[in-house]
């Protein structure tokens, strides 16, 4: 069975396609805080069945709270669950960012050996003030050259000490590093997304700067669900969004309608309507972070739990407020309609 191979040089079995991806939470057993693999596997399959591919050990997955061994076990569990559910074509992206270049490379090697298809890498924020533009470029270049699977750049200032890669640097990396196959923009900067997407959409760019695996393209993905429609209309490729854990059918529908509207504008009003629902909910729910998402998973699907310490669980008043918030309830209603579930 073909895989992505060393540095993406062999034929791709699970290509990275435009669409919707979800950063999967890591679930923990009460009291012990040990990983809850049963819940994790069920959740991976639930979102994948709705058309959402998983990102394991990312920010939402509390990667910073996981050991190397736990990350590997989650990759094994995710792959096994997908394969057993008949979803063997669904790729797995794994967060491999760490404090040092050395450990990031180590995590990339471990993820590849465990069955990950792609690595997503965030710049280390611990010494953010000392990381010059040149240092950041050197970091991503070295990672791309030494990672045995294709790499996605993860730009999230909130989790990297304020480091915010600009469009010029991201385009440079895309141009010079054929093993880099995409970027996730959790900076939420639509103008940045537009500049990068316009560059890589140029017909001559892909042929001039092919990926190491020629079957792959460079994807430009948003980090939230609230600007899917505009991003698709400027040649973006979808999103990796936490909201897809809670409402996968809704977010996939927004993406599908947006793509359809590019060819037939009669689809645009419905795309805009659902985009409004997603945007309002994303804005409200994102404020409650990981603990809020886990609480809402509990309310909607009967599992979720709490984060690992020192992250606190959501406070009771905040939990009640986010569940009863009209924008949350509007999303819940739409998700139930689209998924065919009434409870």
């Amino acid at each position: 069975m073909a895989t992505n191979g060393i540095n993406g040089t062999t034929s791709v079995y699970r290509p990275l396609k435009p669409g919707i991806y979800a950063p999967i939470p890591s679930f923990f057993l009460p009291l012990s805080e040990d990983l809850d693999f049963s819940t994790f596997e069920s959740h991976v399959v639930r979102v994948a069945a709705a058309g959402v591919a998983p990102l394991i050990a990312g920010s939402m997955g509390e990667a910073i709270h996981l050991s190397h061994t736990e990350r590997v076990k989650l990759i094994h569990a995710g792959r096994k669950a997908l394969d057993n559910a008949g979803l063997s074509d669904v790729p797995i992206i794994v967060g491999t960012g760490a404090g040092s270049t050395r450990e990031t490379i180590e995590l990339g090697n471990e993820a590849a050996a465990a069955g990950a298809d792609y690595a997503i890498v965030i710049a280390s924020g611990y010494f953010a003030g000392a990381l010059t533009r040149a240092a950041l470029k050197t970091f991503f270049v070295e990672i791309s050259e030494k990672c045995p699977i294709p790499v996605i750049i993860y730009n999230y200032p909130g989790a990297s000490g304020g480091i915010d890669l600009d469009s010029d640097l991201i385009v440079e990396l895309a141009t010079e590093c054929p093993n880099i196959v995409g970027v996730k923009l959790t900076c939420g900067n639509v103008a940045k997304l537009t500049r990068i997407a316009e560059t890589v959409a140029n017909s001559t760019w892909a042929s001039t700067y092919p990926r190491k695996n020629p079957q792959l393209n460079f994807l430009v993905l948003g980090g939230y669900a609230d600007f899917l429609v505009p991003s698709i209309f400027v040649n973006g490729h979808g999103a990796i969004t936490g909201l897809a854990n809670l409402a996968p059918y809704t977010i996939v529908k927004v993406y599908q309608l947006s793509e359809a509207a590019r060819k037939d504008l009669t689809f645009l009003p419905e795309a805009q309507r659902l985009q409004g629902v997603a945007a309002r909910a994303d804005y409200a729910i994102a404020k409650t972070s990981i603990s809020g998402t886990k609480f809402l998973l509990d309310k909607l699907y009967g599992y979720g739990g709490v984060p690992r310490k020192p992250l606190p669980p959501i406070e009771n008043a905040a939990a009640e407020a986010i569940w009863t918030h009209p924008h949350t309830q509007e999303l819940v209603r739409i998700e139930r309609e689209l998924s065919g579930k009434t409870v």
Side-chain angles (χ1 to χ4, degrees):
M1 183 179 293
T3 65
N4 284 333
I6 299 299
N7 281 322
T9 56
T10 62
S11 60
V12 174
Y13 174 58
R14 303 181 188 97
L16 189 71
K17 299 178 181 179
I20 302 301
Y21 298 79
I24 303 297
S26 297
F27 301 98
F28 306 108
L29 296 172
L31 302 179
S32 71
E33 290 193 334
D34 290 341
L35 287 169
D36 181 349
F37 289 105
S38 177
T39 296
F40 175 82
E41 291 172 12
S42 296
H43 183 68
V44 167
V45 170
R46 186 179 67 79
V47 298
V52 175
L55 188 165
I56 294 171
S59 301
M60 179 67 73
E62 300 179 60
I64 194 69
H65 294 162
L66 302 175
S67 69
H68 285 224
T69 299
E70 287 177 320
R71 294 178 189 224
V72 167
K73 287 181 178 179
L74 286 174
I75 298 166
H76 283 306
R79 185 74 268 157
K80 180 189 73 172
L82 290 169
D83 292 349
N84 289 345
L87 298 166
S88 58
D89 60 330
V90 175
I92 289 178
I93 304 171
V94 173
T96 60
S100 67
T101 302
R102 179 187 178 94
E103 188 179 9
T104 301
I105 293 168
E106 183 179 352
L107 285 168
N109 287 326
E110 292 171 355
D117 299 289
Y118 302 90
I120 185 165
V121 177
I122 191 170
S124 171
Y126 195 86
F127 296 112
L131 292 181
T132 62
R133 186 184 192 279
L136 289 166
K137 182 174 181 180
T138 298
F139 169 75
F140 281 106
V141 169
E142 184 171 357
I143 296 303
S144 73
E145 291 174 346
K146 295 182 179 179
C147 186
I149 49 178
V151 173
I152 302 166
I153 298 167
Y154 182 18
N155 187 54
Y156 183 16
S160 58
I163 293 172
D164 189 4
L165 307 177
D166 62 33
S167 55
D168 289 343
L169 179 53
I170 293 169
V171 168
E172 281 182 31
L173 290 166
T175 300
E176 298 173 18
C177 303
N179 199 40
I180 294 180
V181 296
V183 62
K184 177 189 179 185
L185 297 172
T186 310
C187 52
N189 189 326
V190 181
K192 183 187 299 184
L193 182 147
T194 302
R195 291 190 292 271
I196 300 168
E198 190 277 334
T199 299
V200 302
N202 187 296
S203 59
T204 62
W205 189 89
S207 59
T208 305
Y209 307 107
R211 301 304 88 191
K212 184 162 286 191
N213 185 321
Q215 297 182 60
L216 295 172
N217 296 311
F218 187 92
L219 300 191
V220 185
L221 301 163
Y224 295 101
D226 57 2
F227 55 96
L228 259 176
V229 172
S231 71
I232 296 302
F233 270 80
V234 294
N235 296 312
H237 300 100
I240 302 175
T241 169
L243 197 63
N245 286 294
L246 298 169
Y249 287 93
T250 303
I251 307 307
V252 168
K253 191 68 172 179
V254 175
Y255 171 77
Q256 292 172 337
L257 287 169
S258 300
E259 284 289 354
R262 295 183 65 182
K263 300 176 182 178
D264 182 350
L265 287 176
T266 61
F267 289 100
L268 185 57
E270 181 64 2
Q272 291 173 318
R273 183 182 76 86
L274 290 183
Q275 175 67 96
V277 172
R280 289 187 290 271
D282 208 10
Y283 182 67
I285 294 169
K287 296 175 185 177
T288 66
S289 192
I290 296 168
S291 62
T293 294
K294 288 190 166 187
F295 164 76
L296 290 174
L297 283 171
D298 251 327
K299 293 290 289 187
L300 289 167
Y301 307 112
Y303 62 84
V306 298
R308 259 187 182 166
K309 299 172 185 176
L311 278 183
I314 190 170
E315 295 181 355
N316 290 339
E320 178 65 17
I322 194 58
W323 174 245
T324 59
H325 197 294
H327 296 163
T328 301
Q329 288 302 309
E330 185 181 27
L331 179 71
V332 170
R333 180 180 62 81
I334 295 294
E335 180 67 12
R336 286 172 173 168
E337 288 178 3
L338 291 174
S339 67
K341 298 176 181 178
T342 58
V343 295

